[in-house]
PDB file of all heavy atoms in Angstrom:
ATOM      1  N   ARG A 130       1.344  79.290 -97.784  1.00 90.00           N
ATOM      2  CA  ARG A 130       1.207  80.172 -98.902  1.00 90.00           C
ATOM      3  C   ARG A 130       2.621  80.296 -99.644  1.00 90.00           C
ATOM      4  O   ARG A 130       2.628  80.708-100.823  1.00 90.00           O
ATOM      5  CB  ARG A 130       0.854  81.557 -98.493  1.00 90.00           C
ATOM      6  CG  ARG A 130      -0.636  81.664 -98.155  1.00 90.00           C
ATOM      7  CD  ARG A 130      -1.110  83.108 -97.856  1.00 90.00           C
ATOM      8  NE  ARG A 130      -2.470  83.164 -97.577  1.00 90.00           N
ATOM      9  CZ  ARG A 130      -3.187  84.362 -97.391  1.00 90.00           C
ATOM     10  NH1 ARG A 130      -2.508  85.481 -97.351  1.00 90.00           N
ATOM     11  NH2 ARG A 130      -4.529  84.268 -97.138  1.00 90.00           N
ATOM     12  N   SER A 131       3.629  79.762 -99.015  1.00 91.00           N
ATOM     13  CA  SER A 131       4.946  79.849 -99.699  1.00 91.00           C
ATOM     14  C   SER A 131       4.999  78.679-100.669  1.00 91.00           C
ATOM     15  O   SER A 131       5.905  78.659-101.558  1.00 91.00           O
ATOM     16  CB  SER A 131       6.094  79.667 -98.713  1.00 91.00           C
ATOM     17  OG  SER A 131       6.133  80.731 -97.787  1.00 91.00           O
ATOM     18  N   GLY A 132       4.168  77.699-100.657  1.00 92.00           N
ATOM     19  CA  GLY A 132       4.015  76.693-101.601  1.00 92.00           C
ATOM     20  C   GLY A 132       5.191  75.642-101.485  1.00 92.00           C
ATOM     21  O   GLY A 132       5.847  75.580-100.432  1.00 92.00           O
ATOM     22  N   CYS A 133       5.398  74.926-102.537  1.00 94.00           N
ATOM     23  CA  CYS A 133       6.406  73.803-102.586  1.00 94.00           C
ATOM     24  C   CYS A 133       7.249  74.139-103.780  1.00 94.00           C
ATOM     25  O   CYS A 133       6.866  74.233-104.891  1.00 94.00           O
ATOM     26  CB  CYS A 133       5.700  72.494-102.845  1.00 94.00           C
ATOM     27  SG  CYS A 133       6.850  71.092-103.167  1.00 94.00           S
ATOM     28  N   VAL A 134       8.604  74.227-103.426  1.00 95.00           N
ATOM     29  CA  VAL A 134       9.670  74.457-104.458  1.00 95.00           C
ATOM     30  C   VAL A 134      10.277  73.090-104.728  1.00 95.00           C
ATOM     31  O   VAL A 134      10.766  72.340-103.819  1.00 95.00           O
ATOM     32  CB  VAL A 134      10.684  75.488-104.014  1.00 95.00           C
ATOM     33  CG1 VAL A 134      11.778  75.553-105.088  1.00 95.00           C
ATOM     34  CG2 VAL A 134      10.106  76.817-103.817  1.00 95.00           C
ATOM     35  N   TYR A 135      10.272  72.666-106.073  1.00 95.00           N
ATOM     36  CA  TYR A 135      10.727  71.446-106.461  1.00 95.00           C
ATOM     37  C   TYR A 135      12.229  71.346-106.642  1.00 95.00           C
ATOM     38  O   TYR A 135      12.721  72.273-107.446  1.00 95.00           O
ATOM     39  CB  TYR A 135       9.998  70.887-107.700  1.00 95.00           C
ATOM     40  CG  TYR A 135       8.566  70.651-107.449  1.00 95.00           C
ATOM     41  CD1 TYR A 135       7.647  71.660-107.561  1.00 95.00           C
ATOM     42  CD2 TYR A 135       8.102  69.391-107.149  1.00 95.00           C
ATOM     43  CE1 TYR A 135       6.301  71.515-107.293  1.00 95.00           C
ATOM     44  CE2 TYR A 135       6.776  69.139-106.940  1.00 95.00           C
ATOM     45  CZ  TYR A 135       5.873  70.180-106.993  1.00 95.00           C
ATOM     46  OH  TYR A 135       4.491  69.968-106.705  1.00 95.00           O
ATOM     47  N   PRO A 136      13.055  70.446-106.045  1.00 96.00           N
ATOM     48  CA  PRO A 136      14.490  70.455-106.308  1.00 96.00           C
ATOM     49  C   PRO A 136      14.703  69.926-107.755  1.00 96.00           C
ATOM     50  O   PRO A 136      13.836  69.230-108.234  1.00 96.00           O
ATOM     51  CB  PRO A 136      14.940  69.474-105.136  1.00 96.00           C
ATOM     52  CG  PRO A 136      13.722  68.488-104.987  1.00 96.00           C
ATOM     53  CD  PRO A 136      12.586  69.414-105.028  1.00 96.00           C
ATOM     54  N   PRO A 137      15.874  70.204-108.204  1.00 97.00           N
ATOM     55  CA  PRO A 137      16.250  69.746-109.531  1.00 97.00           C
ATOM     56  C   PRO A 137      16.092  68.237-109.772  1.00 97.00           C
ATOM     57  O   PRO A 137      15.726  67.784-110.894  1.00 97.00           O
ATOM     58  CB  PRO A 137      17.645  70.200-109.766  1.00 97.00           C
ATOM     59  CG  PRO A 137      17.826  71.411-108.849  1.00 97.00           C
ATOM     60  CD  PRO A 137      16.845  71.021-107.680  1.00 97.00           C
ATOM     61  N   SER A 138      16.290  67.452-108.827  1.00 96.00           N
ATOM     62  CA  SER A 138      16.106  65.974-108.896  1.00 96.00           C
ATOM     63  C   SER A 138      14.673  65.550-109.281  1.00 96.00           C
ATOM     64  O   SER A 138      14.432  64.548-109.823  1.00 96.00           O
ATOM     65  CB  SER A 138      16.532  65.333-107.643  1.00 96.00           C
ATOM     66  OG  SER A 138      15.621  65.763-106.550  1.00 96.00           O
ATOM     67  N   GLU A 139      13.692  66.460-109.009  1.00 96.00           N
ATOM     68  CA  GLU A 139      12.310  66.243-109.336  1.00 96.00           C
ATOM     69  C   GLU A 139      11.861  66.703-110.659  1.00 96.00           C
ATOM     70  O   GLU A 139      10.766  66.336-111.189  1.00 96.00           O
ATOM     71  CB  GLU A 139      11.366  66.863-108.265  1.00 96.00           C
ATOM     72  CG  GLU A 139      11.563  66.280-106.892  1.00 96.00           C
ATOM     73  CD  GLU A 139      10.955  64.824-106.752  1.00 96.00           C
ATOM     74  OE1 GLU A 139       9.992  64.560-107.315  1.00 96.00           O
ATOM     75  OE2 GLU A 139      11.648  64.133-106.109  1.00 96.00           O
ATOM     76  N   TRP A 140      12.723  67.526-111.333  1.00 97.00           N
ATOM     77  CA  TRP A 140      12.285  68.100-112.614  1.00 97.00           C
ATOM     78  C   TRP A 140      12.020  67.136-113.721  1.00 97.00           C
ATOM     79  O   TRP A 140      11.042  67.266-114.453  1.00 97.00           O
ATOM     80  CB  TRP A 140      13.410  69.085-113.113  1.00 97.00           C
ATOM     81  CG  TRP A 140      13.599  70.332-112.175  1.00 97.00           C
ATOM     82  CD1 TRP A 140      12.772  70.660-111.080  1.00 97.00           C
ATOM     83  CD2 TRP A 140      14.584  71.278-112.149  1.00 97.00           C
ATOM     84  NE1 TRP A 140      13.220  71.744-110.489  1.00 97.00           N
ATOM     85  CE2 TRP A 140      14.331  72.274-111.230  1.00 97.00           C
ATOM     86  CE3 TRP A 140      15.657  71.474-113.092  1.00 97.00           C
ATOM     87  CZ2 TRP A 140      15.142  73.377-110.971  1.00 97.00           C
ATOM     88  CZ3 TRP A 140      16.422  72.618-112.834  1.00 97.00           C
ATOM     89  CH2 TRP A 140      16.257  73.620-111.809  1.00 97.00           C
ATOM     90  N   PRO A 141      12.843  66.047-113.794  1.00 95.00           N
ATOM     91  CA  PRO A 141      12.529  65.135-115.015  1.00 95.00           C
ATOM     92  C   PRO A 141      11.145  64.381-114.870  1.00 95.00           C
ATOM     93  O   PRO A 141      10.488  64.200-115.814  1.00 95.00           O
ATOM     94  CB  PRO A 141      13.630  64.040-114.747  1.00 95.00           C
ATOM     95  CG  PRO A 141      14.821  64.766-114.162  1.00 95.00           C
ATOM     96  CD  PRO A 141      14.129  65.768-113.240  1.00 95.00           C
ATOM     97  N   LYS A 142      10.728  64.202-113.569  1.00 95.00           N
ATOM     98  CA  LYS A 142       9.382  63.687-113.360  1.00 95.00           C
ATOM     99  C   LYS A 142       8.297  64.613-113.803  1.00 95.00           C
ATOM    100  O   LYS A 142       7.099  64.209-114.030  1.00 95.00           O
ATOM    101  CB  LYS A 142       9.149  63.278-111.786  1.00 95.00           C
ATOM    102  CG  LYS A 142      10.166  62.328-111.292  1.00 95.00           C
ATOM    103  CD  LYS A 142       9.931  62.061-109.859  1.00 95.00           C
ATOM    104  CE  LYS A 142      10.931  61.144-109.196  1.00 95.00           C
ATOM    105  NZ  LYS A 142      10.705  60.939-107.709  1.00 95.00           N
TER     106      LYS A 142
END
Side-chain angles (χ1 to χ4, degrees):
R130 289 186 172 186
S131 297
C133 172
V134 176
Y135 293 82
S138 59
E139 296 291 318
W140 295 353
K142 298 178 183 177

